[in-house]
Amino acid sequence: MDGRLDTQPEIPGTHTNCIFALSTGVLKSKVLNVVPPRIFMLSGDGWKEHLLPTTQKIIRIGSSKREADILIENRGLAPVQLILRRIGTRWLVFDSGDTPLALFNGFRKRQAALAPGEKIFIEINGIVLLFHAVESEHTAPADGQSVKNSFTLSINGNNTEFPFAKPALIGLDEICDIKEGDHAFCALVFYESPGGFYLYSPLGHTGATVNSPSENAMKLKNGSKFMAGAEKIIFNSEYYVRHLPGTPLIKDMLRVPMVLVELDDMDNITNKLVLPDRGRSVFLGRGSDNYFTIDGTTISKKHAQIMTGASNMCLIDNTSTNGTYINGERIEKKVARLGDSIRFGDRLFILTCSE
């Protein structure tokens, strides 16, 4: 691992950016160009990038040669362990395995969101990946222009200011915000609500001592120091997070409610259905006696039954006229996992976690 970056050949995509609309009984599709995230994987030879087609808005990562767009040959992974999906202007990353394995910047969660320009490290069963949501335009502030609730990273008296919500990537690669260290990607400084700012390094050599309740991210405060290669970096921010005694610094992200988010034909969110707690069984349909009432000529009065699990749900079609679909497959009864697309008639939803 000498800091060099290798590029693999383009992987043919099997899941393209097709938007479906039901009009006069005919199912039509429209293909939109998207900018896929850049995906890097750490191996014994250093970081390697996986290139994807620009029409691909759904990316599956796992151990199945048949189902995964990016194959990781690791017996501990599910056939599809991670799903990346474009929703609106953001990319959402889901840990869709039956057993949650992913560490998102050192925190165990089921889901993370990437706005344009943001980066995130994900570890799954010893495999380290970096995701970078590419910006369509450069949005950094002009020199000398301060950003509200910003933070700064200082090296030898030179300060670099970052917006409050934008993670700062440290390393030698061209996409890094601070070009220091001895690897292509060394560490990330980021904000995690409601705990505050953290430093995370998948390489474990930042020169800092882990002192937070998270799996392996270090809590930062004004004046915190850490190393990137031979350089000392000082973190500064006037933003302060106040905690009441006895309250956790970070909420339990494995126990947040699941949500069905409805998308329009441009992948923008138009509606959210918060699912009940694990073990509940509810109905969805056009009738007012359903737990979820949704209108539409393609929705039956009692269209489908939803049975919630810990990190998935079982869908049962209630002999609806226009069907219930999971990832484009019409089903009678099937388990849906985080990141799956679910269609009731012509209404499209994605199974997500509450943010």
Side-chain angles (χ1 to χ4, degrees), residues 315 324-329 331 334-336 340-343:
L315 267 181
T324 300
Y325 298 79
I326 297 179
N327 296 328
E329 174 193 356
I331 60 101
K334 190 173 181 178
V335 172
D340 283 346
S341 61
I342 297 160
R343 189 159 55 85

Side-chain angles (χ1 to χ4, degrees), residues 281-299:
S281 175
V282 298
F283 282 90
L284 174 148
R286 199 175 70 248
S288 59
D289 58 337
N290 292 290
Y291 187 88
F292 294 119
T293 301
I294 57 175
D295 298 325
T297 57
T298 64
I299 306 298

Side-chain angles (χ1 to χ4, degrees), residues 141-295:
D143 291 342
Q145 178 184 353
S146 181
V147 181
K148 184 179 180 181
N149 291 333
S150 63
F151 67 93
T152 61
L153 297 178
S154 302
I155 304 175
N156 296 324
N158 297 316
N159 298 333
T160 304
E161 188 175 22
F162 295 90
F164 170 84
K166 182 178 179 180
L169 182 62
I170 302 166
L172 299 177
D173 190 75
E174 63 179 2
I175 72 170
C176 293
D177 305 290
I178 299 290
K179 292 179 175 58
E180 296 290 348
D182 48 11
H183 290 266
F185 309 116
C186 296
L188 193 74
V189 175
F190 63 98
Y191 179 81
E192 181 72 29
S193 178
F197 288 99
Y198 289 85
L199 171 72
Y200 171 75
S201 172
L203 307 174
H205 64 266
T206 59
T209 303
V210 174
N211 60 355
S212 77
S214 61
E215 281 76 0
N216 48 13
M218 185 189 92
K219 181 73 184 294
L220 295 174
K221 60 183 180 180
N222 196 40
S224 291
K225 301 177 180 66
F226 59 92
M227 302 296 295
E231 294 293 341
K232 180 187 293 184
I233 300 179
I234 303 174
F235 168 87
N236 287 287
S237 176
E238 296 180 358
Y239 183 79
Y240 176 73
V241 179
R242 185 180 299 276
H243 297 284
L244 296 175
T247 60
L249 291 178
I250 298 295
K251 62 183 178 181
D252 188 348
M253 294 300 294
L254 296 180
R255 297 182 180 274
V256 296
M258 289 185 294
V259 180
L260 283 170
V261 296
E262 185 173 8
L263 305 181
D264 61 17
D265 61 356
M266 295 300 292
D267 281 350
N268 295 309
I269 297 175
T270 60
N271 190 20
K272 294 183 179 182
L273 306 178
V274 180
L275 298 181
D277 293 338
R278 175 182 179 179
R280 293 281 305 277
S281 175
V282 298
F283 282 90
L284 174 148
R286 199 175 70 248
S288 59
D289 58 337
N290 292 290
Y291 187 88
F292 294 119
T293 301
I294 57 175
D295 298 325

